[in-house]
Amino acid sequence: MSKTYNIAVIPGDGIGPEVVREGLRVLARVASLEGFTAATTTYPFGAEHYLKTQEVFPDSAFEEVKRHDAILLGAIGDPRIQVGFLEFGIIARMRFGLDLYVNLRPVKLYAEHLCPLKDRKPEDVDFIVVRENTEDAYAGMYGYFKKGTPDEIATQEILFTRKGTERVIRYAFELARRRNRAKKLTLVDKANAVRAMDLWTRTFEEVGAEYPDIARDHAYIDAATMWCVKNPEWFDTVVTSNMFGDILTDLAAMIQGGLGVAASGNLHPGRVSLFEPIHGSAPKYAGKNLANPIATVMAVQMMLDYLGETRAAQRIEDAVAALLRSKRIPSLGSDSGLSTSQVGDLVLAELERAQVTA
Ligand code: IPM
Ligand code: MG
């Protein structure tokens, strides 16, 4: 009997539903090529559902989602709703509630012409960022004093635990070893100003001692953003805290061709994990069939790799790489001249073509 994976799907807001639609077509096709089944359950959560029902993400649905093998998310965010409300109620709920402590963000340039940096080739831009995903300022410990008065004070705690720091650093060392490329792990922090980050410095050294085959490297976040543009080839595997990882990976997405290609996995190794494009809901393009679905297709690719369907994942990566290199998908923005569904069609056709050639 063929293997079945149960996938919870939350298309979400804005362009989320249309890019997820294409991601699911690609999923179904590689599943049939590789002989497994992807059974999907779609959940309606997001702005529209909230406005209709006042429901964000009910506990019963959360419990159900938890029992799946993986989760695919489109995008969350809508200008009609207070900033951060749905992001925290849906995305952060899963990141924290499922303890998805690794946010994995590959930065890989598939075709030279997609890179905004001069003379940079695919071999120069190929690294992966391991962003801590459950702590830092994202823990939501904030407050106001004398709110709305001239003496107002606002605070938000940046918090790091030994356990949280250690587990993500350990994951990153293991990943650097598995990648088997430069065998280098760069710690990105701001320990010169945020002294609480000395915890990262010490933990990195201690855990690193167990990985003598992995070279330890370090950059402060400000310098890391500079190196990312100036010498991206210096990076192999990068580990960093939640907020710095958030910022660094938007910059890094640009040097791999933009948010149209960048995907991420929110992982708790061995448990149900969440996959999503890095881009947001882009409300102004919603429903126009213009958004490029490649980032979601790559989120599906990461999901399959995580589930152990490495051949299926490789098929998707090869198809996307071939389409980008040959400029059949000429760019990753909404200006590519291709509709959302046409890009999906091209990926499906390329999967077939590769199948025939092989
Ligand atoms: C991301 C996003 C989120 C984050 C937002 C939507 C809260 O920017 O996944 O990178 O900051 O983590
Ligand atoms: Mg972000």
Side-chain angles (χ1 to χ4, degrees):
M1 244 198 52
S2 84
K3 198 158 182 183
T4 298
Y5 298 99
N6 294 307
I7 312 294
V9 180
I10 307 176
D13 300 328
I15 59 170
E18 52 211 280
V19 293
V20 163
R21 182 190 68 214
E22 299 309 315
L24 292 179
R25 286 171 74 207
V26 172
L27 174 62
R29 188 62 59 93
V30 287
S32 76
L33 291 174
E34 285 294 333
F36 63 86
T37 305
T40 57
T41 317
T42 302
Y43 292 87
F45 308 118
E48 216 58 67
H49 183 78
Y50 174 69
L51 290 172
K52 244 187 281 162
T53 63
Q54 297 298 298
E55 216 174 59
V56 178
F57 195 167
D59 293 343
S60 55
F62 185 73
E63 288 307 312
E64 238 183 83
V65 164
K66 246 178 162 164
R67 289 195 294 271
H68 287 72
D69 295 307
I71 308 159
L72 181 67
L73 177 82
I76 299 292
D78 186 296
R80 293 170 296 176
I81 291 164
Q82 198 200 339
V83 169
F85 179 71
L86 292 176
E87 290 86 334
F88 276 82
I90 299 173
I91 304 178
R93 171 105 192 256
M94 289 190 279
R95 287 181 183 171
F96 292 102
L98 302 173
D99 198 26
L100 305 175
Y101 66 90
V102 170
N103 194 323
L104 195 61
R105 300 190 158 184
V107 184
K108 196 164 173 179
L109 176 66
Y110 288 107
E112 191 174 337
H113 69 275
L114 298 174
C115 188
L117 306 176
K118 212 165 98 215
D119 300 331
R120 287 302 183 183
K121 305 202 167 7
E123 58 268 30
D124 297 323
V125 182
D126 187 356
F127 60 94
I128 189 156
V129 179
V130 178
R131 166 187 172 188
E132 201 289 322
N133 210 29
T134 54
E135 303 194 338
D136 200 342
Y138 283 76
M141 292 169 61
Y142 64 91
Y144 305 95
F145 182 49
K146 300 187 181 173
K147 195 170 180 180
T149 75
D151 298 325
E152 176 164 353
I153 296 171
T155 63
Q156 183 142 355
E157 296 295 322
I158 287 178
L159 68 93
F160 306 117
T161 66
R162 169 72 199 206
K163 176 185 149 195
T165 307
E166 182 171 335
R167 65 184 180 174
V168 78
I169 287 177
R170 190 173 293 285
Y171 177 89
F173 273 109
E174 291 288 339
L175 180 63
R177 188 177 269 176
R178 254 195 340 267
R179 271 170 67 82
N180 200 18
R181 293 174 54 85
K183 292 205 161 195
K184 176 164 91 171
L185 178 62
T186 305
L187 169 65
V188 170
D189 63 36
K190 190 65 194 173
N192 54 347
V194 181
R195 287 304 296 139
M197 290 203 99
D198 186 57
L199 176 62
W200 283 75
T201 311
R202 282 182 280 117
T203 309
F204 187 68
E205 288 308 311
E206 280 169 38
V207 175
E210 296 172 36
Y211 296 85
D213 53 323
I214 307 299
R216 273 169 266 163
D217 182 28
H218 172 260
Y220 294 124
I221 180 63
D222 47 350
T225 56
M226 173 187 70
W227 298 129
C228 189
V229 171
K230 194 169 180 291
N231 293 96
E233 73 280 8
W234 286 0
F235 294 120
D236 169 31
T237 308
V238 174
V239 65
T240 191
S241 55
N242 205 342
M243 190 148 59
F244 294 153
D246 177 46
I247 299 164
L248 187 62
T249 53
D250 264 28
L251 176 69
M254 292 318 291
I255 69 168
Q256 69 178 130
L259 288 171
V261 67
S264 67
N266 300 257
L267 321 176
H268 186 123
R271 292 201 205 159
V272 55
S273 293
L274 163 69
F275 299 84
E276 54 176 336
I278 292 186
H279 65 66
S281 58
K284 83 173 180 208
Y285 295 111
K288 297 195 171 141
N289 201 27
L290 278 177
N292 195 307
I294 290 295
T296 305
V297 169
M298 292 309 289
V300 168
Q301 187 270 344
M302 291 185 78
M303 178 173 83
L304 290 172
D305 195 56
Y306 180 79
L307 291 171
E309 293 294 338
T310 46
R311 276 207 323 242
Q314 194 63 53
R315 281 181 193 266
I316 297 178
E317 186 178 13
D318 291 348
V320 167
L323 290 166
L324 294 174
R325 263 183 227 128
S326 63
K327 301 194 185 172
R328 276 173 288 162
I329 299 177
S331 77
L332 290 155
S334 51
D335 58 350
S336 69
L338 295 167
S339 68
T340 309
S341 40
Q342 280 173 328
V343 171
D345 292 344
L346 283 168
V347 178
L348 295 185
E350 183 58 24
L351 287 167
E352 296 302 338
R353 201 194 58 79
Q355 172 82 353
V356 172
T357 319

